[in-house]
Amino acid sequence: MKRVRSRLVMLIAIALVAVAPAIFGSFTITLMNYIGIYAMAALGLVLMTGIAGLTSFGQAAFVGIGAYATAWYTVAHGGSPWIGLLLALALTALVATILGVATLRLGGHFLPLSTIAWGIAIYFLFGNTDALGRYSGLSGIPPIAIGPLSFEGTIAVYFFIWAVLGIVMLLCWNLLDSRQGRAIRCLRGGTALVESLAIDSFRIRLAVFVLAALLAGLSGWFYAHIQRYVGPIQFDIDAGIELLLMALVGGAGQIAGAVVGSAIVTLAKNVLQDVLPAITSYSGQFEAVVFGVVFIILLQKARGGVVPIIKKYLPRPEQNVLPIKASPLPRRQRTSAPGQAVLAIEGATKRFGALAAVNKVSFEVKAREVLGLIGPNGAGKSTLLNLITGVLKPNTGTIVFQGADITKLPPRRIAAAGVARTFQHVKLRPNMTLLDNVLLGIYARTRAGFLAGALRLDRAEESAARAEALHQLRRVGLGDRYGDLAGNLPLGQQRLLEVARALAADPTLLVLDEPAAGLRRLEKQTLSDLLRDLRTQGMTIILVEHDMEFVMNLVDRIVVMDFGVKLAEGLPAAIRADGRVQEAYLGGVA
Ligand code: ADP
Ligand code: MG
């Protein structure tokens, strides 16, 4: 029912676009043409800034590259606009790849700053190039045509623009609901989680960046052939800020926000251009001031933009999970025989300044055992888990997983080798559903690329992945809530969700940092039963946990840490009886 209603909303939107030319005059339709063209570029920013969290003030530069590419080709060489389109897309993709490789590895504010730099530079580049008509630009650009059929009329081009916009929005929508799209949505909120899921965050960032640039290039192509003229001023840093404003006003995390934002800003500009000259003779500067104020109000009052506010009154589309008949995903081959060492830590030391958080620690974890790692707060347990999973690198010592030295591997490669983890401080994507969070864990077990996701060629694999994710959710007792947002779960259940996500990776070694903290009694029992099950199925587990009853009843062996060093290692009964351990940690209560 909900689904039907949200389809209805979409159909109404399409119908409105279709009948607009019958209602409005050519002035309004021309305005709508520009709204559609800007929406394409803003859509790129929705993906890149709103969803992936990479702020760009330089989107207009890519619009400019697309526009100039086709303008130069069709004007100076009399070429076809269709070849011009290919050229525009190829050139924007090329430039974006080069800029992306140069800047996307650097974190923090470097990217936004560099986007400002190229946003400014492009203006001078266009303005100083003879072949591009210097500051007077290129005019006489031909209209788009298919054979003798020219799209010169406003209405023909209107339908063309909005059809293309509709298609690219649909493709983006599909993409976001696919394997790579989930990786894109996961980018925002830090790379620690992303890399722990065996996702190459740089590659995903670069892909989003190029995708955003391609949308800008497409927008530029339309712009050049509609405006029939291009000049540097149209693509300067102001234009880039305006595009960002569109994405933010509309709702930066929303596909539909691109259109809504483009409409609001374009219409507002139009009104201002009519109104301001009547009030002041400095209308140009005033426009910038008004937009600046809107920007600030928006950041203060409505960070989410307009679309989320509208959406509150619309039905939320239900997440489609139920696979039509999925063949199960392939499982990892577990090579180690029981009793063989899966993980061997040898003399691992990690210093933070003068503090040795982990100090010459050595032990092995054997195949199919549950190893408990205990010790008081600050003993170095989490730091040790970070060494194992590659988040931190040891100052000295080695870590060997299934016979291979993983000491220097990045977390992503260690995850890919078969180590999955949970975090002491839960790392989830609160705005994604439970199902999507668990699907993130399946990333490394699936193959679908960006194009396959956008074109829905990934459905067989996606069904299998969803079936697997649902299975893992059920295992931790969250199967009924698959469509809820992860952020709405109480903390204890968020931990269980992390366990489900880790299991979804089908790991050989499962690393759990205080998974039972905050769980209720019954939930602890479910978790304990699950971990026992996993051991029977051949998984190896390292478990950090403070609840001694939970640990003692579950684990095969225990390693005790205190002040960074290994205090003791042995069977639970022996550890319980060990005087030093009691003194350091158990305080005589055990
Ligand atoms: P546990 O998980 O056993 O409670 P941790 O491994 O989190 O202990 O911390 C061990 C010690 O290392 C603590 O004294 C902690 O303050 C310190 N520590 C942990 N991470 C860092 C860091 N990134 N920088 C500096 N000190 C740290
Ligand atoms: Mg800890």
Side-chain angles (χ1 to χ4, degrees):
M1 188 60 201
K2 270 184 174 176
R3 229 182 136 65
V4 173
R5 274 196 289 170
S6 56
R7 284 252 163 94
L8 200 65
V9 172
M10 210 158 85
L11 283 177
I12 291 171
I14 292 172
L16 282 180
V17 170
V19 301
I23 302 170
F24 299 112
S26 72
F27 175 79
T28 307
I29 296 303
T30 303
L31 211 57
M32 282 189 74
N33 287 345
Y34 284 104
I35 291 173
I37 292 172
Y38 294 135
M40 292 173 202
L43 181 58
L45 283 181
V46 163
L47 295 176
M48 182 177 157
T49 304
I51 293 171
L54 305 166
T55 305
S56 171
F57 296 97
Q59 181 76 340
F62 292 118
V63 178
I65 292 169
Y68 265 100
T70 195
W72 171 79
Y73 181 68
T74 53
V75 172
H77 299 269
S80 145
W82 301 104
I83 309 281
L85 174 61
L86 295 182
L87 190 68
L89 295 179
L91 201 63
T92 32
L94 180 71
V95 174
T97 306
I98 294 168
L99 280 175
V101 167
T103 56
L104 287 172
R105 277 190 204 281
L106 304 159
H109 296 303
F110 197 85
L111 179 73
L113 286 178
S114 69
T115 64
I116 293 175
W118 86 63
I120 293 172
I122 202 94
Y123 170 78
F124 293 105
L125 181 72
F126 291 147
N128 286 300
T129 307
D130 284 329
L132 302 180
R134 302 184 70 91
Y135 287 99
S136 36
L138 293 170
S139 51
I141 303 169
I144 301 163
I146 303 178
L149 186 74
S150 163
F151 285 180
E152 206 171 346
T154 318
I155 292 184
V157 100
Y158 165 84
F159 282 117
F160 186 40
I161 290 170
W162 283 83
V164 170
L165 177 61
I167 291 168
V168 292
M169 283 172 71
L170 184 67
L171 293 179
C172 290
W173 182 276
N174 288 346
L175 173 64
L176 288 179
D177 192 29
S178 73
R179 170 176 180 261
Q180 303 288 9
R182 283 185 292 268
I184 293 173
R185 283 150 67 198
C186 185
L187 283 180
R188 177 166 230 161
T191 51
L193 172 61
V194 184
E195 297 274 314
S196 84
L197 300 168
I199 299 172
D200 185 342
S201 61
F202 171 71
R203 203 180 137 249
I204 304 291
R205 278 205 297 272
L206 186 60
V208 182
F209 189 68
V210 172
L211 185 59
L214 281 172
L215 287 165
L218 178 65
S219 168
W221 178 73
F222 271 111
Y223 188 87
H225 291 287
I226 305 272
Q227 183 96 343
R228 316 280 294 273
Y229 159 79
V230 293
I233 193 95
Q234 295 158 330
F235 312 110
D236 66 359
I237 187 77
D238 284 355
I241 291 172
E242 220 167 272
L243 286 173
L244 192 58
L245 184 64
M246 288 177 185
L248 290 181
V249 171
Q254 313 281 341
I255 300 260
V259 182
V260 174
S262 167
I264 293 175
V265 173
T266 308
L267 293 176
K269 261 184 78 162
N270 223 271
V271 171
L272 286 180
Q273 275 163 4
D274 286 345
V275 172
L276 284 180
I279 307 172
T280 160
S281 53
Y282 301 103
S283 58
Q285 281 99 321
F286 253 67
E287 206 180 291
V289 171
V290 173
F291 277 137
V293 171
V294 173
F295 219 65
I296 291 166
I297 294 177
L298 211 72
L299 288 176
Q300 298 274 338
K301 296 283 172 198
R303 273 179 169 252
V306 172
V307 170
I309 299 171
I310 301 172
K311 265 198 172 171
K312 252 192 257 169
Y313 299 97
L314 295 177
R316 198 157 74 86
E318 203 154 325
Q319 188 162 24
N320 157 28
V321 265
L322 291 173
I324 317 118
K325 254 258 178 296
S327 51
L329 289 175
R331 305 201 76 86
R332 203 181 288 277
Q333 293 293 320
R334 301 217 162 76
T335 44
S336 311
Q340 226 178 339
V342 165
L343 185 79
I345 302 168
E346 184 59 53
T349 296
K350 178 66 192 176
R351 279 186 287 271
F352 294 116
L355 171 81
V358 172
N359 199 351
K360 296 189 194 127
V361 170
S362 306
F363 63 87
E364 287 188 346
V365 187
K366 303 203 163 57
R368 300 171 187 228
E369 80 170 341
V370 179
L371 182 98
L373 181 60
I374 66 171
N377 276 326
K381 306 179 296 293
S382 294
T383 304
L384 184 62
L385 297 192
N386 283 335
L387 294 179
I388 295 169
T389 51
V391 175
L392 296 171
K393 299 294 158 213
N395 297 96
T396 57
T398 56
I399 298 167
V400 174
F401 175 65
Q402 291 192 311
D405 188 343
I406 58 166
T407 318
K408 294 201 169 67
L409 290 188
R412 160 170 51 91
R413 302 271 308 278
I414 295 174
V419 180
R421 71 170 300 177
T422 67
F423 295 87
Q424 181 177 349
H425 301 287
V426 175
K427 291 191 201 299
L428 291 166
R429 292 300 178 247
N431 293 322
M432 290 169 74
T433 61
L434 269 61
L435 190 78
D436 280 345
N437 270 284
V438 178
L439 280 166
L440 283 172
I442 299 179
Y443 185 88
R445 295 172 69 191
T446 43
R447 298 269 80 82
F450 288 82
L451 202 59
L455 296 174
R456 297 252 135 148
L457 301 173
D458 61 344
R459 290 296 101 176
E461 183 183 87
E462 185 70 13
S463 285
R466 281 164 192 242
E468 170 77 0
L470 201 58
H471 168 63
Q472 301 300 353
L473 272 175
R474 289 199 181 115
R475 274 176 122 177
V476 299
L478 292 172
D480 295 338
R481 304 192 61 179
Y482 66 84
D484 291 357
L485 296 183
N488 292 345
L489 289 180
L491 186 61
Q493 294 189 345
Q494 292 193 0
R495 290 191 184 283
L496 291 177
L497 179 57
E498 278 212 325
V499 174
R501 183 185 65 208
L503 289 179
D506 187 29
T508 302
L509 176 65
L510 182 61
V511 177
L512 304 174
D513 201 347
E514 304 197 13
L519 292 196
R520 284 176 296 192
R521 220 185 142 66
L522 217 61
E523 290 169 333
K524 277 191 187 176
Q525 192 56 50
T526 310
L527 179 62
S528 166
D529 291 345
L530 171 63
L531 297 180
R532 263 193 210 102
D533 255 10
L534 293 172
R535 170 173 48 193
T536 325
Q537 287 159 22
M539 201 173 285
T540 308
I541 301 170
I542 303 182
L543 170 77
V544 169
E545 187 47 59
H546 281 297
D547 181 336
M548 276 309 117
E549 198 193 322
F550 186 89
V551 173
M552 292 291 175
N553 288 329
L554 176 68
V555 304
D556 300 298
R557 280 189 317 129
I558 291 180
V559 167
V560 187
M561 285 181 75
D562 193 18
F563 291 112
V565 299
K566 186 175 86 176
L567 196 65
E569 176 176 358
L571 300 176
I575 295 295
R576 202 193 285 265
D578 190 315
R580 288 170 309 159
V581 176
Q582 287 194 9
E583 195 180 320
Y585 184 50
L586 302 175
V589 294

